[in-house]
């Protein structure tokens, strides 16, 4: 764990649950911030910049989903780990990784131990994502990327990518094993350029696969999730 205690924001309107979460986090020396609705949460997020958010879906006023979406739209919080709390597990599946971009969820009632384990896992994941941002070289299995020189090598052989293809690959590599919607890719790789359509993204993915995948008709690294988007399967690089 980092030298300074990670800050966790708990957004929950039910005082008992909020206190339970707050107490257990504080016991483990996390710094805990609390909000009882979405508006308050957004204010605290802006002001105190927490390292992680525990977000209840059912909130008065602005819903958890709306808070989630607002966070993903802002560059400063687009990668902030979000752990959803929900009474309905079935509902959570729709939230995770889809257009809402939450990272994980806990179904109520949950055990404090489970909650702490999820929080730690998400913070670890965020830490390593940040580290890979500053790392100049990515290397795993046959894929090597030099972020400083924009060079990509497959099995030691340099391949040629356009700038957009490179940026797309970089974003995929930096967000592995995660469902990325076309909207997210549009936003993060194309900067929300309104002239870019979802089809443009598909075309770029297809070209990228042609260049880096062994068999682009049977891709192993960049997977299509029908009707949802794409996922970079990092573990497939080890095979
Ligand atoms: Ca609630």
């Amino acid at each position: 764990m980092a030298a300074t205690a990670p800050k966790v924001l708990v957004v929950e309107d039910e005082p008992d649950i909020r206190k339970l979460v707050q107490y257990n986090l504080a016991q483990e020396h996390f710094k805990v911030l609390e909000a009882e609705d979405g508006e308050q949460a957004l204010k605290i997020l802006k002001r105190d910049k927490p390292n992680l958010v525990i977000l209840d879906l059912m909130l008065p006023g602005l819903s958890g989903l709306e808070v989630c979406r607002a966070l993903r739209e802002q560059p400063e919080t687009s990668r902030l780990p979000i752990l959803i709390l929900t009474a309905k597990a079935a509902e959570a599946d729709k939230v995770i990784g889809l257009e809402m971009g939450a990272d994980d969820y806990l179904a109520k009632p949950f055990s404090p131990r489970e909650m702490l384990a999820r929080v730690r896992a998400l913070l670890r994941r965020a830490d390593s994502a940040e580290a890979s941002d500053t790392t100049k070289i990515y290397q795993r299995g046959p894929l090597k990327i030099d972020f400083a020189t924009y060079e990509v090598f497959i099995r030691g052989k340099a391949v040629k990518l356009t700038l957009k293809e490179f940026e797309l690959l970089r974003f995929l590599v930096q967000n592995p094993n995660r469902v990325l919607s076309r909207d997210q890719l549009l936003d993060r790789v194309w900067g929300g350029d309104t002239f870019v359509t979802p089809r443009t993204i598909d075309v770029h993915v297809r070209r990228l696969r042609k260049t880096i995948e062994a068999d682009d008709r049977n891709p192993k690294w960049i997977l299509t999730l029908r009707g949802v988007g794409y996922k970079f399967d990092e573990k497939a690089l080890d095979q």
Side-chain angles (χ1 to χ4, degrees):
M1 202 157 277
T4 50
K7 264 188 264 182
V8 178
L9 171 62
V10 184
V11 191
E12 168 66 86
D13 57 315
E14 289 158 71
D16 290 350
I17 302 180
R18 200 172 62 239
K19 284 294 155 213
L20 174 81
V21 173
Q22 183 273 334
Y23 174 81
N24 282 280
L25 287 168
Q27 285 287 90
E28 298 295 312
H29 311 292
F30 287 99
K31 201 162 177 287
V32 190
L33 306 161
E34 296 174 54
E36 49 189 59
D37 61 45
E39 284 84 1
Q40 203 186 356
L42 290 179
K43 259 180 233 157
I44 294 175
L45 279 154
K46 204 168 230 168
R47 194 185 59 208
D48 296 306
K49 302 190 176 24
N51 304 94
L52 180 139
V53 183
I54 299 179
L55 180 64
D56 181 35
L57 275 190
M58 297 276 278
L59 293 168
L62 209 59
S63 76
L65 285 186
E66 286 166 313
V67 173
C68 205
R69 195 185 286 143
L71 291 181
R72 286 300 176 247
E73 278 167 4
Q74 296 298 320
E76 321 76 84
T77 53
S78 66
R79 289 203 224 170
L80 180 69
I82 302 174
L83 175 61
I84 292 285
L85 298 182
T86 176
K88 291 182 246 163
E91 198 175 65
D93 291 338
K94 286 184 246 160
V95 182
I96 307 304
L98 301 183
E99 66 268 32
M100 297 308 164
D103 298 284
D104 200 358
Y105 77 92
L106 270 177
K108 293 177 186 174
F110 52 85
S111 80
R113 259 180 74 176
E114 181 65 21
M115 185 265 299
L116 289 168
R118 302 289 181 96
V119 165
R120 288 204 185 89
L122 287 177
L123 287 171
R124 263 201 308 274
R125 206 207 279 176
D127 264 0
S128 64
E130 202 170 292
S132 76
D133 261 3
T134 48
T135 304
K136 295 243 160 53
I137 307 268
Y138 174 92
Q139 179 141 37
R140 184 151 173 174
L143 177 63
K144 182 178 166 188
I145 306 168
D146 188 328
F147 294 113
T149 62
Y150 288 69
E151 288 172 298
V152 177
F153 303 87
I154 306 289
R155 287 171 205 87
K157 197 166 161 268
V159 295
K160 260 198 131 40
L161 297 178
T162 64
L163 180 59
K164 271 291 164 244
E165 288 162 7
F166 181 87
E167 288 172 348
L168 176 64
L169 177 63
R170 177 171 58 193
F171 186 66
L172 289 168
V173 163
Q174 288 174 346
N175 294 276
N177 315 316
R178 209 169 137 170
V179 184
L180 301 164
S181 69
R182 287 182 179 78
D183 277 350
Q184 272 173 304
L185 294 173
L186 181 67
D187 215 49
R188 300 298 307 271
V189 181
W190 277 266
D193 184 341
T194 46
F195 295 105
V196 177
T197 63
R199 215 188 109 62
T200 312
I201 295 166
D202 297 342
V203 168
H204 278 80
V205 168
R206 205 173 315 141
R207 285 203 211 120
L208 181 56
R209 278 176 175 155
K210 246 193 187 124
T211 313
I212 68 168
E213 295 262 4
D215 176 4
D216 63 299
R217 276 169 308 176
N218 183 23
K220 297 273 190 264
W221 302 345
I222 306 171
L223 306 178
T224 302
L225 292 130
R226 215 171 255 277
V228 181
Y230 296 99
K231 185 168 94 171
F232 180 64
D233 187 3
E234 196 175 44
K235 284 190 290 294
L237 291 171
D238 302 334
Q239 285 151 23

